[in-house]
Amino acid sequence: MKYDDNIESALTQIAVRLHGDYRLSKRMIGLLLLQDDAEIHNVVREQEGMEYKSILDIIQQTKSQYSHSPNYIITMARQAECNSILSDVVSNLFKRKRGIAESLSRLMMNPWTGIPILLVVLYFGIYQFVGVFAAGTVVDWIEGVLFGDAESGYILPYVTRFFETIIPFRFLQELFVHDYGIITLGIRYAIALILPIVGAFFIVFSIIEDTGYLPRLAMLVDRMLKWIGLNGRAVIPMILGLGCDTMATLVTRTLETKRERIIATFLLALGVPCSAQQAVFIGILSQNSTALLLWISVVVGELLLVGYLSAKALPGDQPSFYMEMPPLRLPKITNVLTKTYSRMQWYLLEVLPLFVIASVFIWIGRLTRIFDLVIAGLQPIVRTIGLPNNVAEPILYGFFRRDYAAAALYDEATGATGLTGNEFLVAAVVLTLFLPCIAQFLIMVKERGVKATLMMAVAILILAFGTGFLLTKALNIFGINLSLGG
Amino acid sequence: MDISEPAQELLEKLWTDLEETQRDSISLNALGLDKNASEISELVDLGLILFPKEMLLKFTDEGRTEAEKAIRRHRLAERLLSDILETKHQLIESAACKFEHLLYEGMDESICILLGHPKVCPHGRPIPPGECCRKEKEVGSRLVAALADLNPGQDGKIAYVQAKESQEIQKLMAIGILPGTPINLIRRFPSYVFQVGNTQYAVDREIADEIYVRLENREK
């Protein structure tokens, strides 16, 4: 296509001065230079040396001919060309009809109807399907019946006996089997526990994604997320975090600025509970609706407050929000399954090795008695926030497998020397806020660097224990005594 | 105040030069003028400029206000010519120079309201806000308004996009927000949702403030 005379003559003049090797046509290079493409400017500056200055003069000269940037002129010319081609061949551009989809779309975008819709989606999609069905029914079967433990079940008894036969030393056996071995803990944890939960979550997420609901959710919460230094776009990693924080941390790559990526990573690590954690906490806390509400509001409040403060503290501009609202569609089952499959595949390839590493760490930590030291060191802190000594162990192990801590707490809560309702709530809040699991931690190092990750870790430790301390005090002051039956 | 056209032009030139250099005085040499030029003595007589030092020129407070008003008229005229009268870009500058002299006191205000209180001229330079912008007076009917000021259901065509950074404009152009394209606002809260062509977008207040729309049906 041809542009107007000013642009064309500039293109000719620039082409004469280009001698380097660019792979693109000289005309293309000229157009990109006129449009102030930073990358092409760098390449041309390197390749042309002295000539670059005269090229800049030509661009300057061209710019002075217009009241708009050449980029604008070029885009408008292209648009006009498009329109003239289209007008010859397209007779009836379909208009978006005000059908059911469009009406539903508008209901989703109206806060009065949109927020109830969101709650319904979360209740059925996350709570019922992921929490109750996958984390309850499915996990019980795979973990309890299929894997079993050293004595019963279909897999573990044989594996345990196998390793006991080929390895004569107990401490080496423990690397693979028994309570914290690579197979009993790492592999079993990843496959029997996390895989079904995360898999169910991925199914729900893929369905939600394919309907086109996410952009509507993004526009609904944009104002709220702006408040904590993010924008509507961040809703996608945040919702993913409810499934698996490790994957969500990877997805923060899609955010525009470094500032947003740091805030999102930090909030995911601090207080977005992954599905494994939710399953256990909600399971126990739902026996007492006050406890459940307190847990949710303390964690959400903490996220908002910390997000607000980090948005104030971190330099950089508030990014602007814009997003396409695609029409709502019924998801195709094949697409949902393909997506879920590829996400599960990613999960097994990326996350499974990290759980194996975690098992090795636990093995070393126990063998060298470093863990005993850390637990002893944690106990005074745990006592300070008003919890019994034996909570220290679940807190440490919680770093290696997030739900382990919750499950261990469950034993404490229901055992003879059990935790009181108040203690369980405080422990649940501390563990939700506490350092993420080791898989997420390693991804954070990979994505944000060692320094930023360590700073976040320190902040999280202080916030988690500090909140636990204040919560205990607050419960005492207001004389709240929660009881968890069963 | 009655000022001759050359003196008026000098006033505006002084204002833009000071705006660009961010200083409060300018040398006569930079203006390429002689101290005895008739327009200079006219402005000095009117008490609009003064010489703090030999060969150095400065506004008086009154002069700065007067110049600001002139600039405002000029840039509003440019906006009017390009957005409403759709004058060719190459002609705007010269037409605006003539046009601004027709905008007497008060008329600039009506035009400013008509154009939805534009913040920059077509060249991207800021338009000094007038009394009406500060009060955001919404009297009379408007022809152009920021997307953020439209009512849901209102139709129009995109008049222009005004953004601080060219990157931002590029982003918006890439998603099809181009002058001349029909646009329809669907809702204002919690984000601005609008339809352009066959596509719907949601944007925040900042972006909705940058898209100026030429209104078509003026209901409500």
Side-chain angles (χ1 to χ4, degrees), chain B residues 139-166:
Chain B
V139 282
S141 52
R142 290 174 298 172
L143 290 177
V144 174
L147 183 66
D149 295 330
L150 258 53
N151 292 316
Q154 256 186 316
D155 283 309
K157 279 188 173 160
I158 297 171
Y160 57 96
V161 177
Q162 165 235 305
K164 288 132 256 155
E165 293 152 44
S166 69

Side-chain angles (χ1 to χ4, degrees), chain A residues 305-369:
Chain A
L305 185 69
V306 170
Y308 178 73
L309 293 178
S310 25
K312 288 267 161 201
L314 283 174
D317 280 339
Q318 186 77 266
S320 48
F321 168 70
Y322 70 97
M323 204 176 220
E324 192 185 332
M325 301 282 120
L328 288 177
R329 290 194 175 90
L330 271 179
K332 269 199 178 135
I333 293 179
T334 47
N335 288 354
V336 169
L337 290 181
T338 319
K339 276 193 199 184
T340 309
Y341 173 74
S342 63
R343 284 187 175 132
M344 306 261 281
Q345 196 183 26
W346 164 84
Y347 175 80
L348 281 177
L349 289 177
E350 294 275 322
V351 181
L352 190 65
L354 297 178
F355 282 118
V356 172
I357 295 173
S359 302
V360 176
F361 274 128
I362 295 186
W363 180 69
I364 296 173
R366 284 164 52 88
L367 198 67
T368 55
R369 306 225 160 263

Side-chain angles (χ1 to χ4, degrees), chain A residues 120-132:
Chain A
V120 167
V121 169
L122 288 179
Y123 178 77
F124 285 103
I126 307 291
Y127 182 78
Q128 285 295 341
F129 187 67
V130 180
V132 177

Side-chain angles (χ1 to χ4, degrees), chain A residues 71-72 219 223 226 321 325, chain B residues 170 179 190-191 198 200 202 204:
Chain A
N71 184 25
Y72 177 92
M219 74 69 83
R223 274 171 199 251
K226 285 264 173 61
F321 168 70
M325 301 282 120
Chain B
Q170 278 180 36
S191 302
N198 291 309
Q200 284 185 8
D204 56 16

